[in-house]
């Protein structure tokens, strides 16, 4: 420990921009030795303070005319506030210990507001019932997910007036590793998070709209960036069991001694197994197996190496989406099936290495390389006997994929006169190679009747960006630009005459402005351009037309803390897309939907009643419309117009903790003229735990009031076995009924 402090002191001495008359320091997590970015530091008798940078460093002016008493107050949400006695011009290291969450520690500053709500969401990570990492997406205010194919398939996502399908308009990453699959066999941007063990999630960062230079392709409605913990507070063995033959086991094992952890070296492994038949009449036989390992260590005084490896295997059967008429007629029940040969199999193996170099206390250089091997096989039947009255309409979507990538980012802080300047420069590439990407007509999963599409894809994306934030007093200006180059190659095994290569460059500028009136109020305007790429097969089929449709957005908002225990965020927003022009993987066709426009209003609130009871609520309004369609036919199918989420969280000192959550989605148009409506729903979840130092027992109940609700809905034309003519109506996947699970965790 002495060596660690000595190293920090030597490093501080090189930080020339911190002049005499200041107190310099670094704030770190006492357990993991990780730096705490955006911790708030102030003199005890002063209202204003500073926040720590990416490396945890701060510099606070020692103003003699303010008659400082030499005591610093250091606070960070989720940690116990500390008082530090200092003697004028010196350097300190502040080690923070984890403690109860306290909204009073949230201070509105020009630097920290972007993360205010995100940091607090750690409450939700610990207390909301989850079965997979996909459920953690719900911690993003206004984001909804829906499962409609057996539990192993990536969930459908809704956000800001978008039916994002499985990821077409949201950029998702884990530890910098891209989750979205471009030119995927099932749908563009397919984002399957099931390879992440939810208990390992340390933070969920997010942003809505196309305003962030670090997030390029698919980041039109926004981005979600998850990060796993760098170290375990304790090793854990957890078992869960519940209805529908559900069993889940999790093991998280810390591998190193406390002596090594004190030196900044951490390593752990984790595993997860899940099995469930689900509530359906035909069992899902759903199983998922995950392994995850992470190692990070200091290399010399100024470098940190992080290595990650993980693997996922999952397979399942499914009953799919069923038509309303089959249920109303009594042909099947709500949890029945018309074709129970649906289902799938998927696996993904990831490896990544990140080297973080601290060139000085105000300069950080990160280099990240990653690789993924991925396989996907999905059988579906949405139309039953519409196209083939004899064999049925079952389809198979299949691919094997390699992903190679590298990203480099340089962050630097400096002063330019009285302005504070924060600069970020980045560059990188991603290469996706698929083999035998397939869409075929099958029967009973075994026999291929006809290939609709079969080929190999190579898609490359190189990028470079620059982002400048300049700050003085109450103003903060953020200006950035991103350049992306794409090369699409498709070797069509069914059409030798096809021209295989297309390429395109797009530039995406961003301008964001913040004005912080005081520690309780901030106004902001965000503007930017983003894009989503089309599937490589679409690009080639259409001679390179509309390769990278652009999105233009703007937010005007206010962040308020009117009382010590209440935090509010209100934003009015606008988003225009040049073309919602995506590959419809289920049919192997191109479905351009033209220009679209969305306007909306987001409201988020968090309130702390006392030291153990918290409340939050999010209300999201949107008006999504097609631009070029005649009035009355402008609706965007399945796009949400009114959603709300929220609930109560509690954490008592005696170990009792838990939450009661709700989510509401309003009725919405299922087709362009709103003649078919997808029914809304309100459903809730309950979690109660008793947590002690060595163990935890808990009860999780999804849908405790046993509401009948439809998790996913589509306006689909289909024909049943003996029907003379096809019928177009709502097809749905029933939402989970009352579902209780018990859990026991042992800590050591």
């Amino acid at each position: 420990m002495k060596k660690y402090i000595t190293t920090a002191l030597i490093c501080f001495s090189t930080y020339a921009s911190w002049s005499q008359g200041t107190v310099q320091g670094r704030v770190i997590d006492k357990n993991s030795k990780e730096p705490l970015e955006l911790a708030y530091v102030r003199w005890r008798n002063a209202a204003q303070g500073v926040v720590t940078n990416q490396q945890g460093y701060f510099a606070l002016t020692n103003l003699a005319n303010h008659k400082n008493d030499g005591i610093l107050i250091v606070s960070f949400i989720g940690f116990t506030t500390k008082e530090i006695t200092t003697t004028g011009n010196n350097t300190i290291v502040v080690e923070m210990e984890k403690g109860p969450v306290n909204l009073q520690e949230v201070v509105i500053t020009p630097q920290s507001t972007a993360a205010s709500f995100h940091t607090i969401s750690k409450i939700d990570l610990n207390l909301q019932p989850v079965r997979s990492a996909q459920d953690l997406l719900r911690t993003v205010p206004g984001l909804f997910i829906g499962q409609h194919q057996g539990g192993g398939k990536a969930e459908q996502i809704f956000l800001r007036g978008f039916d994002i399908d499985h990821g077409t308009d949201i950029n998702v990453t884990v530890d910098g590793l891209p989750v979205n699959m471009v030119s995927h066999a099932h749908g563009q941007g397919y984002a399957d998070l099931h390879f992440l063990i939810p208990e390992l999630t340390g933070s969920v960062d997010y942003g809505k709209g196309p305003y962030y230079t670090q997030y390029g392709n698919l980041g039109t409605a926004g981005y979600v960036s998850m990060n796993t913990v760098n170290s375990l507070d304790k090793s854990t063995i957890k078992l869960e069991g519940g209805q529908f033959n559900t069993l889940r086991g999790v093991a998280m094992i810390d591998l190193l001694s406390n002596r090594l952890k004190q030196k900044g070296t951490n390593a752990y492994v984790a595993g997860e197994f899940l099995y469930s038949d689900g509530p359906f009449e035909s069992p899902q036989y759903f199983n998922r197996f995950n392994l995850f390992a992470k190692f990070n260590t200091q290399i010399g005084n100024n470098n940190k190496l992080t290595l990650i490896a993980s693997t996922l295997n999952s397979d399942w059967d499914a009953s799919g989406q069923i038509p309303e008429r089959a249920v109303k007629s009594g042909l099947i029940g709500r949890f029945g099936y018309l074709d129970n040969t649906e289902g799938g199999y998927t696996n993904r193996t990831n490896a990544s290495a990140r080297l973080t170099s601290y060139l000085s206390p105000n300069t950080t250089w990160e280099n990240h390389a990653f690789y993924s091997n991925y396989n996907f096989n999905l059988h579906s039947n949405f139309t039953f006997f519409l196209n083939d009255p004899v064999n049925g309409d079952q389809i198979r979507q299949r691919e094997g994929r390699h992903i190679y990538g590298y990203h480099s980012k340089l962050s630097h802080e400096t002063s330019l006169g009285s302005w504070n300047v924060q600069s970020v420069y980045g560059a990188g590439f991603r290469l996706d190679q698929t083999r035998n990407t397939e869409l075929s007509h099958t029967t009973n999963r075994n026999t291929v009747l006809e290939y609709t599409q079969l080929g190999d894809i190579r898609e490359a994306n190189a990028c470079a960006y620059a982002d400048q934030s300049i700050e003085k007093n109450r103003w903060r200006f953020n200006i950035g630009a991103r350049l992306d180059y794409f090369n699409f190659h498709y070797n069509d095994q069914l059409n030798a005459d096809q021209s295989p290569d297309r390429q395109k460059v797009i530039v995406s500028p961003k301008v964001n402005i913040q004005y912080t009136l005081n520690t309780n109020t901030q106004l902001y305007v965000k503007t930017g351009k983003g894009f989503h790429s089309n599937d490589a097969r679409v690009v080639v089929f259409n001679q390179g037309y509309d390769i990278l449709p652009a999105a233009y957005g703007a937010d005007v908002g206010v962040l308020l803390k009117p009382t010590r225990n209440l935090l509010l965020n209100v934003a009015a927003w606008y988003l225009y897309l040049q073309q919602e022009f995506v590959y419809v993987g289920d049919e192997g066709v191109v479905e351009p939907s033209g220009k679209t426009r969305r306007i909306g209003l987001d409201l988020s609130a968090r309130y702390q009643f006392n030291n153990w009871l918290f409340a939050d609520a999010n209300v999201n309004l949107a008006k999504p419309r097609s631009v070029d369609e005649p009035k009355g036919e402008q609706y965007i199918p399945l796009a949400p117009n009114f959603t709300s989420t929220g609930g109560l969280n509690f954490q008592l000192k005696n170990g009792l903790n838990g939450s009661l959550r709700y989510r509401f989605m309003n009725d919405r148009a299922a087709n362009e003229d709103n003649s078919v409506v997808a029914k809304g729903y309100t459903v809730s979840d309950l979690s109660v735990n008793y947590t002690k130092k060595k163990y935890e027992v808990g009860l999780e109940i999804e849908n405790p009031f046993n509401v009948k609700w439809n998790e996913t809905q589509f306006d689909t034309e289909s024909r049943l076995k003996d029907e003379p003519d096809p019928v177009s109506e709502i097809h749905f996947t029933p939402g989970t009924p009352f579902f209780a699970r018990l859990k026991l965790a042992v800590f050591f």
Side-chain angles (χ1 to χ4, degrees), residues 153 165 184-188 321 378 380-384 386-387 393-397 438-441 450-454 494 535 537-538 541 582-592 714-718 728:
K153 180 181 174 184
D165 195 27
H184 188 268
H186 182 66
Q188 175 69 333
Q321 301 149 30
L378 181 69
S380 309
N381 188 351
F382 305 106
T383 54
F384 306 110
L386 176 67
N387 302 312
D393 297 347
Q394 185 180 92
I395 61 172
R396 180 172 74 187
Q397 295 163 309
E438 172 191 331
L439 172 62
S440 59
H441 178 198
E450 180 186 12
Y451 287 103
T452 305
Q453 288 184 336
L454 183 66
L494 305 179
D535 187 285
R537 289 160 288 185
V538 175
F541 291 156
V582 296
Y583 174 74
V584 184
D586 301 335
E587 300 176 15
V589 299
V590 178
E591 189 176 82
F714 302 88
D715 180 21
T716 305
E717 184 181 28
S718 66
S728 182

Side-chain angles (χ1 to χ4, degrees), residues 38-42 73-77 79-82 96 104-107:
L38 302 179
Y40 190 64
V41 184
R42 64 176 177 86
I73 305 297
V74 184
S75 62
F76 190 72
I77 192 149
F79 287 77
T80 301
T81 298
K82 294 195 73 170
M96 303 287 285
Q104 295 181 18
E105 296 169 351
V106 176
V107 179

Side-chain angles (χ1 to χ4, degrees), residues 24-44:
Q24 307 160 11
R26 193 183 193 206
V27 181
I28 62 174
D29 183 330
K30 182 178 181 179
N31 181 54
S32 67
K33 307 305 176 187
E34 293 291 320
L36 295 179
E37 183 182 8
L38 302 179
Y40 190 64
V41 184
R42 64 176 177 86
W43 294 112
R44 185 169 66 173

Side-chain angles (χ1 to χ4, degrees), residues 258-274:
N258 288 331
R259 182 179 62 84
L260 288 173
K261 294 173 73 173
Q262 288 290 322
K263 294 181 178 180
T265 298
N266 295 278
Y268 66 86
V269 295
E272 176 197 36
F273 172 76
L274 171 65

Side-chain angles (χ1 to χ4, degrees), residues 453 490 492 498 536-544 583 588 590:
Q453 288 184 336
Y490 180 50
D492 189 346
Q498 186 169 292
R537 289 160 288 185
V538 175
V539 170
V540 174
F541 291 156
N542 288 275
Q543 306 294 310
Y583 174 74
V590 178

Side-chain angles (χ1 to χ4, degrees), residues 410-439:
L410 180 69
S411 304
H412 177 69
E413 292 183 47
T414 189
S415 295
L416 191 62
S418 59
W419 292 84
N420 180 42
V421 181
Q422 300 171 11
S423 304
V424 179
Y425 306 98
F429 75 89
R430 170 180 173 176
L431 174 64
D432 288 66
Q433 293 181 314
T434 78
R435 59 192 182 278
N436 295 325
T437 297
E438 172 191 331
L439 172 62

Side-chain angles (χ1 to χ4, degrees), residues 38-78:
L38 302 179
Y40 190 64
V41 184
R42 64 176 177 86
W43 294 112
R44 185 169 66 173
N45 59 355
Q48 298 286 344
V50 297
V51 296
T52 55
N53 67 8
Q54 183 180 355
Q55 298 182 39
Y57 292 119
F58 70 90
L60 189 63
T61 303
N62 184 10
L63 299 177
N65 59 341
H66 281 195
K67 298 180 180 179
N68 289 320
D69 57 8
I71 296 178
L72 290 175
I73 305 297
V74 184
S75 62
F76 190 72
I77 192 149

